[in-house]
Amino acid sequence: MSSEEALLLAPPTTNASAAAARTASLAAVESPAPEPAGETHAVLTQRFHAAIPGGAHTYAKGDDQFPEGIAPYLVRADGCRVWDTERREYLEFGMGLRAVTLGHGFRPVVQAAQRELLRGTANVGRPTMLELRAAEDFLSTTQAGDMVKFAKNGSDATTAAVKLARAATGRDRVAICQDHPFFSTDDWFIGTTAVRAGIPWGVRQLTHTFRYNDLASVQQLFEDHPDELACLIMEVEKDVPPAPGFLQGVRQLCDQYGTVLIFDEIITGLRWHVGGAQAVHGVRPDLSTWAKALGNGFSIAALTGRRELMELGGLHHDKERVFLLSTTYGAESHALAAMRAVLTTYRREPVIEHLRQAGEYLRRLLAQSIAEHGLTGHFALLGPPQCLVYATRDAARQPSQGFRTLFLQETLKRGLLLPSLIVSYAHQPADIELAAERIHEALGVYRRALDEGLDKYLHGRPVQPVYRARN
């Protein structure tokens, strides 16, 4: 290896005090090893599907998203590792669908939640002082809005934002970015996907789509529906960065046509910046929605934005009332305490810098493996380092669910839970290096399958897209 290559592949440097704090925070709590389930994988699968539609409470975690017969059922997690019913250990790079940025069981967050539970105020009949402190903490840390309303999941927050925009503008139509895969479980969004059973035709007609980084497609929507678009909702950034002038152009068009601009920061908030991707790119929306990293795995989401919009869901105005967000568990105290501990950690420690460094180190190591196996054009790394994903393509370089399944199969066999390449504050250089070694082996199988045929190496059916009309 040349000196230049050695420098390129060197692990990221870390601040000594931050590393020490991280080590202390992630020290394992004494607990007995998880007991085996005592049942075969097939029996457990049957039980899951007998009790839960789809076998999981999140479609992205369902059996159809993983190789047949080997996807683990988990019983414990710590840092960037998880354990299954057979006590097998896996390095995880999904991190709760990007919700866990600090690591599983991050002690300051868990301890904050525990302390609040012991106060007996998990859910009481009037607002608690914690709700006020949490709201002020969120607003001062993120600088993303004038007011905030908490909820339990991102879908509720985005739907509330759409309702608020419709109330403020008196319009019904919604514009969404078709290149961003998920905004809500509610009808206004799911009606645009292939899984539209149960959604009225009339509701589906009110949502329109545009393309990311295609300002002309946004302009065309406004021209096609003048004075009809209540809001435009999009992620600020996903796999590719915004083209120069795109976000600014969208902002200008929304201002010109009186449309509310909503940024979905559910993934980017606290992963791109404490102020979200809007702070990185310097374009402010009217409303934005947050979740995922806010609670490091605890259920907490937020809707924030301009006071004149948010106050429509309040008491201090003479306009028609908006029933904005009213959830029994929206201010559940342990989740708010967890969020405050997360925000404190972000203010004190270089979390986002670590995410970028760890993700970039992983990208460099995997890029070398891709080149060594001759997989350029067949296995691709996408997205910024703090939110890295991969794409699988066949011999013709076309997107392939079969090759995705093969890659998942081979990485699971090697102790990696790898639906994506998402890193956390818990992932250290040694974890990245271990994962890269095992992925290198899996990519060797990928190469052989390209040369000799997928069927020779893939065991079981391919994984399926979540959005499909039939099973």
Side-chain angles (χ1 to χ4, degrees), residues 222-272:
F222 281 111
E223 291 177 1
D224 291 344
H225 303 282
D227 303 321
E228 292 183 299
L229 292 175
C231 62
L232 182 149
I233 184 169
M234 60 187 292
E235 294 186 57
V236 191
E237 181 179 354
K238 197 165 178 61
D239 297 340
V240 296
F246 174 69
L247 295 177
Q248 292 81 357
V250 171
R251 174 72 274 180
Q252 290 169 7
L253 284 169
C254 286
D255 290 341
Q256 177 183 341
Y257 287 92
T259 295
V260 175
L261 176 58
I262 304 169
F263 280 168
D264 179 336
E265 296 264 21
I266 287 169
I267 290 173
T268 52
L270 298 186
R271 192 170 278 279
W272 265 241

Side-chain angles (χ1 to χ4, degrees), residues 194-245:
V195 194
R196 60 185 62 157
I199 299 173
W201 180 88
V203 173
R204 303 202 304 262
Q205 305 312 301
L206 295 176
T207 302
H208 308 273
T209 62
F210 62 92
R211 302 306 300 260
Y212 189 72
N213 276 342
D214 184 352
L215 195 57
S217 71
V218 181
Q219 175 75 57
Q220 190 63 54
L221 264 186
F222 281 111
E223 291 177 1
D224 291 344
H225 303 282
D227 303 321
E228 292 183 299
L229 292 175
C231 62
L232 182 149
I233 184 169
M234 60 187 292
E235 294 186 57
V236 191
E237 181 179 354
K238 197 165 178 61
D239 297 340
V240 296

Side-chain angles (χ1 to χ4, degrees), residues 44-63:
L44 284 174
T45 298
Q46 186 178 35
R47 286 182 60 194
F48 268 90
H49 284 269
I52 305 166
H57 291 290
T58 307
Y59 280 110
K61 299 179 183 180
D63 285 348

Side-chain angles (χ1 to χ4, degrees), residues 353-370:
E353 178 186 355
H354 178 91
L355 297 180
R356 290 196 181 107
Q357 288 185 352
E360 188 54 48
Y361 188 37
L362 180 61
R363 188 204 295 273
R364 292 198 302 266
L365 294 177
L366 295 189
Q368 186 180 55
S369 287
I370 291 167

Side-chain angles (χ1 to χ4, degrees), residues 32 60 99 121 133 147 151 159 163 169 193-194 196-197 201 219 254 282 412 429 442 461:
T121 58
R133 294 190 184 103
M147 304 178 80
T159 292
K163 181 194 295 185
T169 61
T193 74
R196 60 185 62 157
W201 180 88
Q219 175 75 57
C254 286
L412 278 169
R461 50 99 184 108

Side-chain angles (χ1 to χ4, degrees), residues 393-413:
R393 299 181 182 123
D394 60 20
R397 300 191 176 187
Q398 295 301 306
S400 171
Q401 293 290 83
F403 274 94
R404 176 177 175 83
T405 313
L406 176 68
F407 181 70
L408 286 167
Q409 170 188 290
E410 295 304 312
T411 49
L412 278 169
K413 286 180 180 178

